[in-house]
Amino acid sequence: MSLKSTARYTLNNFKKYRYLLRELVVKNIKLQYRNSALGILWSFLQPLLTMVVLSVVFSNLFGRDSDKVVNYPVYLLAGRLLYEFYTQSTKRAMKSVRKNASIIKKVYVPKYIYPLSMVLSTFVTFIISLSVLAGVILFFKIINYNPIDLSFNIVFAAIPVAVLLMLSLGVGMILCTLNVFFKDIENLYDVFTLLLFYLTPIVYTIDRLGFTDGSWQAQLLKINPLYGIIETFRAAVIHGTEFMTYFDSTAFIYSTVFAAVCLIVGLVMFNKNQDKFILHI
């Protein structure tokens, strides 16, 4: 089958099962908050409470003397929301095929539906949680405490979010494939995401660590694709009219290319091995 024929078949297959995908996304969101007294309110409370705790702990250490930190709680929350979406979506995608093993063994459904639905359902709750970021920005603007300079440039925040979605889906497909054959990948990835939190400038800025922008330590931290995504999002949200001053185009292009490669590798890897899943789940 040619590449063109494969693409046409995949598109037709996706259209055929789009309603099932929508139902799975809704189901995943409902299951996420099942038996919870506050339900979907946790999408608002969890990032807000985390921001408060981390701000209290790290504000004196990392929240001062940096031109990138106009308002530390907003800086912290913006990075934390994007990091949480990446980790939660990839972890759920990783476990999706094993979690639905009983259904896969009985009924034919394109297997990519499962990791895709997990990433999309997490993306929906992430979009909802962004309203917390908007509320925090508005709160500080009302009390006139380090208010954020909002401008039309905030629309550019949608671009790094789209790249993050692409990265999460690609990594999720790779992890899902690996997890079918090597279940230990779940434990290894938990350790990796913990390490990733400290390697990503969420609670700190690179200059506050004492690294100059061109130093090898700074360049090492920028290898992390989340760096370019999170910093571009912050530049659009926090710095407003000075967006281009704080926009690191090199880091963002690198993150975009990395995300595209991960997506291609993930799709190819998943498609090549999906027929073998039934033998291992």
Side-chain angles (χ1 to χ4, degrees), residues 72-139:
Y72 187 68
V74 175
Y75 176 91
L76 179 64
L77 182 59
R80 180 72 183 180
L81 285 173
L82 270 64
Y83 167 81
E84 279 294 314
F85 165 64
Y86 169 80
T87 55
Q88 292 302 316
S89 61
T90 52
K91 284 181 179 181
R92 290 167 183 165
M94 175 176 60
K95 300 174 184 178
S96 59
V97 167
R98 282 191 173 275
K99 186 178 179 181
N100 291 281
S102 58
I103 300 175
I104 292 173
K105 291 177 180 178
K106 296 176 183 177
V107 182
Y108 171 76
V109 174
K111 297 176 184 65
Y112 69 82
I113 287 287
Y114 298 108
L116 178 59
S117 66
M118 286 295 182
V119 173
L120 291 180
S121 60
T122 310
F123 185 70
V124 171
T125 56
F126 164 71
I127 294 298
I128 293 171
S129 66
L130 284 179
S131 62
V132 176
L133 179 62
V136 170
I137 291 174
L138 181 61
F139 170 75

Side-chain angles (χ1 to χ4, degrees), residues 59-213:
S59 60
N60 287 329
L61 186 60
F62 297 117
R64 301 176 186 274
D65 303 322
S66 175
D67 59 348
K68 290 187 178 181
V69 183
V70 178
N71 184 305
Y72 187 68
V74 175
Y75 176 91
L76 179 64
L77 182 59
R80 180 72 183 180
L81 285 173
L82 270 64
Y83 167 81
E84 279 294 314
F85 165 64
Y86 169 80
T87 55
Q88 292 302 316
S89 61
T90 52
K91 284 181 179 181
R92 290 167 183 165
M94 175 176 60
K95 300 174 184 178
S96 59
V97 167
R98 282 191 173 275
K99 186 178 179 181
N100 291 281
S102 58
I103 300 175
I104 292 173
K105 291 177 180 178
K106 296 176 183 177
V107 182
Y108 171 76
V109 174
K111 297 176 184 65
Y112 69 82
I113 287 287
Y114 298 108
L116 178 59
S117 66
M118 286 295 182
V119 173
L120 291 180
S121 60
T122 310
F123 185 70
V124 171
T125 56
F126 164 71
I127 294 298
I128 293 171
S129 66
L130 284 179
S131 62
V132 176
L133 179 62
V136 170
I137 291 174
L138 181 61
F139 170 75
F140 284 115
K141 203 166 187 66
I142 290 173
I143 67 173
N144 199 31
Y145 175 79
N146 295 339
I148 300 299
D149 176 27
L150 293 176
S151 77
F152 182 75
N153 287 331
I154 198 170
V155 299
F156 291 116
I159 300 175
V161 168
V163 173
L164 182 61
L165 177 61
M166 180 167 61
L167 175 66
S168 300
L169 181 57
V171 174
M173 299 287 275
I174 294 172
L175 290 172
C176 183
T177 305
L178 292 174
N179 192 47
V180 170
F181 302 103
F182 312 102
K183 197 172 184 302
D184 289 342
I185 203 73
E186 292 183 18
N187 298 321
L188 292 173
Y189 193 63
D190 282 338
V191 176
F192 173 78
T193 53
L194 178 61
L195 176 63
L196 187 64
F197 176 79
Y198 293 105
L199 291 177
T200 305
I202 296 172
V203 300
Y204 61 84
T205 61
I206 289 180
D207 60 314
R208 281 292 288 158
L209 295 179
F211 303 148
T212 58
D213 199 44

